[in-house]
Amino acid sequence: MLDYRFPTALQMVLSVAMAEQQGKRSTSAILAQGLESNPSLIRKLMVPLTRDGIIATTLGRTGSIHLARPPQEISLRDIYLSVTDEKKLLNSRPDVKKPCCVVSANVCWYFKSLAEEAEQASLNVLAKRSVADALLEITGRAATHETASDRGAAAEISCPESQSDSA
């Protein structure tokens, strides 16, 4: 089964950061609309993100979601570790009970070692990028891929940061 917690949480945090840059408000309903997701999933992902000091919320009719730290101080690794708990990137099969050959007797420890190396490499890549870096990359790419006729139109479709305060 595919696990969409990290990409969903990443999009949430980036959307909140973009809204803050634009002086706009973020709520779970606005984020759910932009992510084409259920507001309850958004609220469920907010729990570990809040616990780990990535986002903060204010309650009430004018409540909102905002970054708990400056975007340059939040790494993508922080977000990944916050929402994935102890789930590993790659999981090995259980040990073979009665190995009948050298491969069966040794493949489990080999795969665990390989998986740990891959996980560490992934975490290292994520640690090198901050929310601020990701926003710069995304907005820079979006700006270079827009044509004069559609400039801005794509940003208005299904993006929480383009929603008004009345949403």
Side-chain angles (χ1 to χ4, degrees):
M1 185 167 87
L2 295 174
D3 186 346
Y4 292 108
R5 289 177 297 175
F6 173 59
T8 303
L10 176 61
Q11 187 174 351
M12 285 171 56
V13 172
L14 292 173
S15 295
V16 169
M18 177 69 77
E20 283 186 4
Q21 283 183 353
Q22 296 174 344
K24 296 187 179 177
R25 183 174 165 243
S26 294
T27 65
S28 59
I30 292 169
L31 289 173
Q33 180 183 5
L35 276 71
E36 296 179 352
S37 183
N38 188 312
S40 64
L41 172 64
I42 301 304
R43 287 188 294 271
K44 182 178 177 181
L45 289 171
M46 286 172 49
V47 171
L49 292 170
T50 301
R51 175 196 66 214
D52 295 333
I54 295 169
I55 63 167
T57 59
T58 53
L59 302 175
R61 195 172 66 85
T62 59
S64 66
I65 303 165
H66 55 277
L67 296 180
R69 296 180 269 169
Q72 63 274 13
E73 293 179 16
I74 303 169
S75 75
L76 304 190
R77 180 182 189 270
D78 295 337
I79 299 167
Y80 176 82
L81 291 175
S82 180
V83 297
T84 57
D85 300 315
E86 298 296 317
K87 186 172 189 216
K88 295 291 185 188
L89 185 63
L90 302 170
N91 292 307
S92 64
R93 296 182 62 221
D95 282 327
V96 176
K97 300 279 188 245
K98 297 180 183 175
C100 59
C101 66
V102 172
V103 171
S104 293
N106 294 287
V107 74
C108 190
W109 72 261
Y110 177 76
F111 187 83
K112 283 180 183 177
S113 173
L114 184 66
E116 181 58 38
E117 187 177 342
E119 176 104 10
Q120 200 53 56
S122 294
L123 290 173
N124 290 342
V125 168
L126 295 174
K128 292 177 186 175
R129 288 187 170 88
S130 70
V131 168
D133 298 332
L135 277 181
L136 280 174
E137 235 177 291
I138 289 168
T139 56
R141 184 172 192 271
T144 61
H145 285 81
E146 289 178 350
T147 63
S149 64
D150 69 2
R151 189 170 301 276
E156 293 298 318
I157 300 171
S158 297
C159 289
E161 59 272 1
S162 67
Q163 303 298 317
S164 68
D165 282 351
S166 63

